[in-house]
Amino acid sequence: MGKLFAVVLTVITLISAGIFIARVWWLPPDISVLGAGIDHQMMETMYASGVLFVVSQLVLALFVWRYRDRGDGRAVKTFPGGSTPMVIGASVLVGIEILVLSLVGTRVWGGIFLSPPNPAALKVDVLAEQFAYYFRYAGPDGVFGKVHPELIDDASSNFFGLDPANDSTARDDVVSASLVIPVNTPILLTLHSKDVSHAFFVPELRIQQDFVPGLVVPLQFTATQMVKKEIVCTQLCGLGHFNMRAYLEVQSHDQFEQWLADNAP
Amino acid sequence: MTEQHGPPSGFLRKHVFSLDHKVIGKQYLDLALLAVVIGMVLSWLMRFHLGFPTTPVPGLGTVAPNGAAGGIMTPELYLALMTMHGTIMVFFVLTTAPFAGFGNFVLPLQVGARDMAFPRFNMMSFWVTCLALLVLLAAFFVPEGPPISGWTAYAPLSALGKDAGPGLGTGQTLWAVSIAIFCIGQLLGSLNFIATTLDLRTRGMTFSRLPVSTWAWFITSVIGLIAFSVLLPACVMLILDRVAGTSFFIPGGLVVSDRLQPHSGGSPLLWQHLFWFFGHPEVYIAILPGFGIISHILPVFARKPLLGWKVVITCLIAIGFLSYTVWGHHMFLSGMNPLSATLFSVPTLVITIPATIITLLWIGTIYGARLRLTTPALFCLGFISVFVSGGISGFFLAQPSIDTYLHGTYFVVGHFHFVMGVAAMFGIFAGTYFWFPKMFGRMMNEKLGKLHFILTLIGVYCIFMPMHYLGLAGNIRRYSAFTDDYMKGSLPLHRFITIAALFTGAVQLIFFFNLVWSRLRGARAPDNPWEATTLEWSVPSPPPFDNFGDHPPLVTRGPNEYGVKGVPDYVMQATPDHPAAT
Amino acid sequence: MKMPAPSAARTGVWVGIGAITMSFAAYTSALLVRQAGAQDWQHFRLPPILYLNTVVLLASSLTLALARRRGVAWVGLTLGLGLWFLGGQLFAWRQLAAQGLYLASNPASSFFYVLTVLHALHLLGGIVALGYIMRRMRAAGDGSPPGALGAVSLYWHFMGVLWLYLLGILALRL
């Protein structure tokens, strides 16, 4: 049984690791300025973990094979050095790894979530509801109109609860069901939810953020390629959660300006 | 000494309302067994839908006409099954079997006590837990069905009531009530474990001679005391938001199902903080007894002492302590202050150190051993393997900058199933095969046990390792289906996982059969079939109602005397009756 | 049936104190978060009878401490004072309701009711325990205090300390 266990474990380990190494299923190519940093962090962790995974499983398999009872009544041996090498080894190796990953990782994290908002960023107001996203642009006046929850009426497409009749800043707000943005431009999303918690995730951008009812949560990024990708909801929001989706369209500056003009109310 | 109850008489006192910790322990294990069967069936239904979304499930349409007309699961039914699966498994299997089940049976024996410190509270804790399960299962039978907000029940989805979706009416309230009741049962249990370990140790059983498994149960009970004391208020406030119109967790200005909600000022993040302040220690409550069980069993079959057993205990205490500092790692992207992400990430990574030390010490124990590869030993080895796998995927998630991608994907599902659904389960299996002879006076069938082990090991890797690949590719969790355009390419892998899950589920029949068959026909078990040193093996199998009779044992050595020169190669903790012992 | 060993009973009460402390800590943190986070906090004056109730509860701790030497009648006195406290709390809730402040009226009143009701429920448990102690002291005949008196006293005094803490939080924050 010891031999069988060792063989099975070895096969499992090699196949599992092999599939990771061969990148059979892998992250989609990133389209974000910060994506490279995240991917680098991911790969560092992948290498360290991969080595740890393979070595520990194979050592386990080896030890089970080698030290199984063969009925020869031999004396048992203590690991040389006792527990001290384990304590020191684990503390030092894991400690160093943690230190390195934390330092590098904090810079990446800070780049995404702790940077002050870029004053030149294009602001887009995002509303999440069961089960759709709506995006709002400030329009030529550069100011978002006020939102009034009691005025929200999906039937007449007043998703945000704007009051154009009484609020001049709301009159030119552009509302869209897709997030259309210009390439290589810092974007600042302001996320708010109409009902329950949702989330905004674009795998290719590598970032996600929860919508918290009652709060307005900022999210910054810059897209580097002109593509059309999907935005998905990653925070359980009800029965339509699996279907809550929108498109992110990254266009050239000219195309974007044209789109904005075409979609003015 | 402790509360002395005489030998039980009558069917009810012996088998139903028993004060005997051994009976109560077995009752908890039976409860967990029932719960795991229900939880597994739910998971098969979920997996079937994920792998074969357009294939009707025979009979499902009859059982759930609203949720699965024609046998095809609706999204709300999927989410309801998912919520109940998680809740039942986490609370009624993983918190119950390793801690309340085995701990109740074994701990008083291992410390040399007659029974737990408060046998009546102990009995109450079991029946309270039973009540909690009944209340939870009742959610299946209310008109709108069980809640769909996941075992994490995030507000405001869980707090708003039925405007927010199906199952979120009575079903969600029953959920919250059930969990609140469960908390009380757990607190009564922790009470007993702590008092028994502190006050009822037999003569000579100093803290440094306690078996590692007792230490693990003791630390778990302290963690549980604090954790469940926080979950209970959270559930109370959730119930009040739902039925009494308060706004602890619900902010103002919400429009749900076209209705402006009459709440204001509450904080959804408050629920998350309270829940995860409980929730993270909870997963350590699920795994720490497993650490104790593996640390206890491995030396028995390696025939040598646990390497660095004092270090192991120190690490268990460190993990217990650190478990309270990391809860925010479930909330990196929740909208809480991003600075706190770093604050939570560091202890999350640091907790890897004691866990790694313990794992290395286990592997170091195997070095130079004379491993007897019985079924309990195999499950210990399997535990080490799957815990390493699950721990390593945790390493990714502990870093906020990587979590921004992996949060909410199948990578997380793979991670927590490896550490909880597999490792903790392997701990339960190891404990079952190990202590079955003591509990029932019969040996389990070794051939069936080994077959169960090797097929399950292969099966769980086939189920949960692929989930990491899905996660890397961006597959999102809690989706009831992967509709045509998004992630259509993941369907073949989901099919593979489903088939592996159904296969592994079927393999568990071997285990259930073994349990029943061995009860009836297993070979009679001697007092100490495994040649182990701790006190539970110094009494008959099964032990008499008062464990040690009129002679409480006198302990003169620690639990680690294995690999001693000569025959036998071990020395038991208790000496035979010393003339001065009376 | 003998009681649990005195030391185990006391350990049990300490464990219970730990659990109850943690749960009220959770409510406290919820209160602080709630107050800081939203603009809808409405302060109100605590019903003055709360202060009288406090004196009654503290007096009951004194009578219980004296009961060890003076016998079962003083345990009964403690129990009576406990019931008086509960009655006083009921009165306070009635007073608030008369002002139109119910559980869901505003967050401050929500916390007021939650905290005081939970304290009262836990105190009721203590009253039941006192009743049990009285029964045993009477049955023992010689009136000697059972070992559990120490454990129940510990719990009772904790209820007083907890009440002082809650009163402080309510007075300062509400």
Side-chain angles (χ1 to χ4, degrees), chain B residues 199-435:
Chain B
D199 296 322
L200 297 189
R201 285 164 291 125
T202 190
R203 299 163 301 156
M205 182 60 86
T206 58
F207 276 103
S208 62
R209 288 182 184 153
L210 277 178
V212 182
S213 46
T214 299
W215 269 106
W217 284 312
F218 176 66
I219 296 168
T220 304
S221 60
V222 174
I223 299 176
L225 189 75
I226 302 174
F228 283 101
S229 299
V230 172
L231 183 62
L232 183 53
C235 286
V236 167
M237 289 191 276
L238 183 65
I239 294 170
L240 289 177
D241 269 9
R242 295 180 55 74
V243 307
T246 52
S247 298
F248 293 108
F249 305 121
I250 310 175
L254 299 186
V255 178
V256 185
S257 295
D258 297 322
R259 271 190 277 275
L260 190 61
Q261 298 294 313
H263 294 271
S264 88
S267 167
L269 283 177
L270 176 62
W271 167 264
Q272 290 187 41
H273 279 294
L274 288 172
F275 181 83
W276 287 118
F277 186 82
F278 147 77
H280 196 82
E282 160 70 355
V283 309
Y284 288 99
I285 292 170
I287 200 72
L288 229 56
F291 280 177
I293 291 175
I294 303 311
S295 306
H296 179 71
I297 297 181
L298 202 55
V300 178
F301 297 106
R303 304 316 295 169
K304 58 186 286 243
L306 179 67
L307 185 66
W309 64 276
K310 283 202 177 121
V311 176
V312 171
I313 293 171
T314 313
C315 287
L316 289 177
I317 296 175
I319 291 174
F321 180 73
L322 281 168
S323 72
Y324 277 99
T325 61
V326 304
W327 82 89
H329 69 229
H330 300 271
M331 295 170 62
F332 285 149
L333 301 162
S334 63
M336 71 173 180
N337 189 332
L339 270 170
S340 42
T342 318
L343 260 163
F344 283 114
S345 168
V346 172
T348 306
L349 289 167
V350 167
I351 221 176
T352 315
I353 297 180
T356 307
I357 293 176
I358 293 183
T359 311
L360 289 179
L361 289 174
W362 287 333
I363 297 181
T365 306
I366 302 172
Y367 172 92
R370 230 177 32 243
L371 259 184
R372 294 178 179 172
L373 289 162
T374 58
T375 309
L378 287 167
F379 273 105
C380 288
L381 300 170
F383 181 102
I384 299 174
S385 171
V386 296
F387 183 73
V388 165
S389 300
I392 285 180
S393 55
F395 205 54
F396 286 80
L397 299 168
Q399 303 173 61
S401 48
I402 299 184
D403 195 51
T404 77
Y405 182 80
L406 291 176
H407 173 81
T409 65
Y410 261 82
F411 197 91
V412 180
V413 181
H415 163 70
F416 67 68
H417 276 99
F418 257 131
V419 281
M420 301 223 300
V422 186
M425 279 308 302
F426 273 33
I428 295 174
F429 286 137
T432 306
Y433 284 101
F434 186 68
W435 279 304

Side-chain angles (χ1 to χ4, degrees), chain A residues 206-228:
Chain A
R206 300 290 193 264
I207 50 168
Q208 54 180 303
Q209 175 63 58
D210 280 5
F211 292 73
V212 183
L215 295 180
V216 178
V217 185
L219 184 64
Q220 298 186 86
F221 65 91
T222 306
T224 55
Q225 291 175 38
M226 292 184 286
V227 290
K228 183 170 165 175

